[in-house]
Amino acid sequence: ERYVAIRTDITDRKRIEEQLRQSDSRKDEFLAVLSHELRNPMAAIRMATNVLKADGRGAHEQMLSIIERQSQQLSRLVDDLLDVSRITRGKIGLRLERVDLAGIVAEAGEGAHKACEEKGIDFALTLPSERIYVMGDALRMSQVLGNLLSNAIKFTPAGGHISLIGGVEGDQAVVRVRDTGIGIPTDQLLRVFEMFAQVDPVVRKTGGLGIGLALVKGITELHGGSVEARSDGPDKGSEFIVRLPLAHAPALAGTDQGGQAPAVAVKRPRRRILAVDDNADALTAIAHMLRLKGHEVIAAEGGAEAIDLAREHRPDVVLLDIGMPGMDGYEVARRIRREPWGRDLTLIAVTGWGQERDKRQAAEAGFNAHLTKPVEPDVLENLLTQPHIRPTGL
């Protein structure tokens, strides 16, 4: 008798299968935590609205504060998820300019100080007297510091201490966030910057999606910098160090480099605005907010109606939702631009679609600006006051 034996080494296949199982497990855990994180603010918002309905005006101010705070939390969760996707695919963009990092650190420190006071944590901010100039995106830098400080506050118990320290070391700007919180096991110091690294049953009680530090690392590296985590172990606190290349600022005419430029009073112009959104609640809210700012507002819930009202009222600005049934915002913009009266209108997309390709498509359709929902009132108002918007009807 003859026997034929075939031996196949399946070590690599088994390793890949195990990696896939672990990845699938991390995905399931992440989705569970995401569901939890989204339900918390939604529950608070729903409860606050129920109180407003039942209690008349007695609790309005407190409930509105809850709605605002929890809505901002939902926005941050969605923004972080989108930013993770952009960084992973190399699609995130930076608006680089010469900025004073010390000012950004000081502003981040103000918000952290208030949060620490509420939790009973001692907070200290240390900055040099001189400015610290770097080439960077101020909003993204604020996001980095905000995530680091939020983590420190989350994992530091009442009675603890947090320090925010900015300075210069050699040719680098350096920001340190130190805390006396739960610390990090030494074998986990590199892993904390991995995606979903905090999604662990041990830390689930503290909340968080485990993407904040991954964002910190990705954004810092896009600036040509680095971030490092240090800790002596569990219950011994931690320190996160952000390093960025320095940039030297030229003297600015008419500005004292030791202080602020003199304030100039700006008269905010009144605009005639056509607001368009198929979501009736969103349309009512933005129209009311704009009227409170002193603007004249015309409202439309659809594309065809928007074109008719624009032709009749000749607004200065059209705030236009994109994802509308029937005629979407892109088509509305194209049709307005084809009209002689619509060539000089300012068209602003106000939409839930915020990817880079969405912004390019908006520009190609004739929009002057693109804002991603939910829009902060101050951001919109600052855009409306730009001098390039010429009043056509007021």
Side-chain angles (χ1 to χ4, degrees):
E1 294 184 3
R2 292 184 178 181
Y3 295 92
V4 177
I6 300 176
R7 300 177 61 186
T8 303
D9 187 351
I10 61 172
T11 303
D12 289 342
R13 190 180 75 185
K14 288 294 186 182
R15 185 174 63 251
I16 293 172
E17 288 176 353
E18 179 60 25
Q19 290 173 347
L20 289 173
R21 276 194 292 269
Q22 291 179 1
S23 176
D24 193 53
S25 175
R26 290 178 69 184
K27 178 199 70 177
D28 290 343
E29 182 68 16
F30 168 71
L31 291 174
V33 175
L34 173 60
S35 175
H36 172 268
E37 291 294 300
L38 291 175
R39 284 192 181 109
N40 273 342
M42 285 193 293
I45 290 171
R46 289 189 64 181
M47 183 60 68
T49 54
N50 287 334
V51 171
L52 288 175
K53 291 176 182 177
D55 193 47
R57 297 195 57 84
H60 273 203
E61 186 174 342
Q62 184 181 15
M63 293 302 106
L64 288 173
S65 177
I66 290 172
I67 291 171
E68 180 181 23
R69 188 163 56 249
Q70 297 300 323
S71 296
Q72 289 172 348
Q73 175 65 7
L74 281 173
S75 297
R76 282 192 292 268
L77 286 171
V78 173
D79 288 343
D80 280 355
L81 287 169
L82 290 173
D83 283 341
V84 164
S85 174
R86 293 180 186 124
I87 288 177
T88 301
R89 294 181 292 112
K91 298 293 186 180
I92 196 168
L94 299 178
R95 295 182 179 180
L96 296 177
E97 57 184 344
R98 201 183 308 270
V99 295
D100 177 19
L101 183 61
I104 296 173
V105 173
E107 186 175 347
E110 289 181 10
H113 189 203
K114 182 177 179 181
C116 284
E117 281 186 339
E118 293 174 353
K119 192 176 176 181
I121 299 172
D122 182 46
F123 178 79
L125 171 65
T126 304
L127 286 173
S129 56
E130 67 272 11
R131 298 183 180 185
I132 306 173
Y133 288 104
V134 297
M135 289 299 296
D137 185 319
L139 288 176
R140 293 298 182 182
M141 289 181 179
S142 296
Q143 186 178 8
V144 165
L145 296 179
N147 280 348
L148 290 177
L149 289 166
S150 177
N151 256 24
I153 295 167
K154 181 187 300 181
F155 296 114
T156 301
H161 180 83
I162 294 175
S163 299
L164 176 59
I165 306 164
V168 174
E169 298 176 9
D171 60 351
Q172 292 183 319
V174 181
V175 181
R176 300 172 184 268
V177 178
R178 294 175 181 161
D179 66 66
T180 59
I182 65 173
I184 306 169
T186 53
D187 61 344
Q188 298 292 307
L189 288 174
L190 294 178
R191 184 176 176 270
V192 295
F193 295 107
E194 295 177 3
M195 206 70 73
F196 317 135
Q198 292 181 17
V199 179
D200 187 290
V202 175
V203 298
R204 280 183 65 173
K205 65 181 69 176
T206 61
L209 299 179
I211 59 180
L213 292 179
L215 280 175
V216 167
K217 183 175 185 290
I219 294 172
T220 301
E221 291 180 348
L222 284 174
H223 281 84
S226 64
V227 60
E228 175 189 0
R230 295 180 180 177
S231 178
D232 292 330
D235 300 320
K236 295 184 178 180
S238 58
E239 178 181 23
F240 288 85
I241 307 168
V242 175
R243 295 182 173 90
L244 297 167
L246 283 173
H248 298 287
L252 300 177
T255 302
D256 177 7
Q257 289 297 302
Q260 300 291 329
V264 178
V266 178
K267 182 179 179 181
R268 293 186 178 274
R270 180 171 177 257
R271 306 296 191 193
R272 176 175 291 165
I273 301 170
L274 172 60
V276 188
D277 199 316
D278 65 303
N279 184 313
D281 286 343
L283 181 61
T284 299
I286 197 169
H288 186 71
M289 185 272 293
L290 290 168
R291 290 184 182 114
L292 288 175
K293 297 287 187 180
H295 301 294
E296 178 186 341
V297 183
I298 305 107
E301 293 188 15
E305 181 187 7
I307 294 173
D308 290 341
L309 290 174
R311 182 181 294 109
E312 178 183 354
H313 294 280
R314 307 293 173 89
D316 308 317
V317 181
V318 180
L319 301 179
L320 188 54
D321 184 31
I322 298 297
M324 298 185 293
M327 190 187 305
D328 67 15
Y330 297 128
E331 181 59 24
V332 175
R334 284 189 286 266
R335 293 195 186 190
I336 287 177
R337 287 301 189 212
R338 286 199 291 265
E339 299 287 346
W341 49 263
R343 293 169 187 166
D344 294 328
L345 289 182
T346 296
L347 299 182
I348 301 175
V350 182
T351 173
W353 301 101
Q355 302 291 335
E356 290 301 319
R357 64 175 179 272
D358 301 315
K359 297 176 183 179
R360 287 195 299 271
Q361 191 171 353
E364 291 167 358
F367 284 96
N368 302 94
H370 183 287
L371 298 177
T372 306
K373 294 179 179 178
V375 178
E376 291 294 330
D378 289 345
V379 172
L380 178 56
E381 184 63 16
N382 287 336
L383 183 58
L384 293 173
T385 59
Q386 295 301 311
H388 66 266
I389 302 178
R390 297 196 304 271
T392 57
L394 297 176

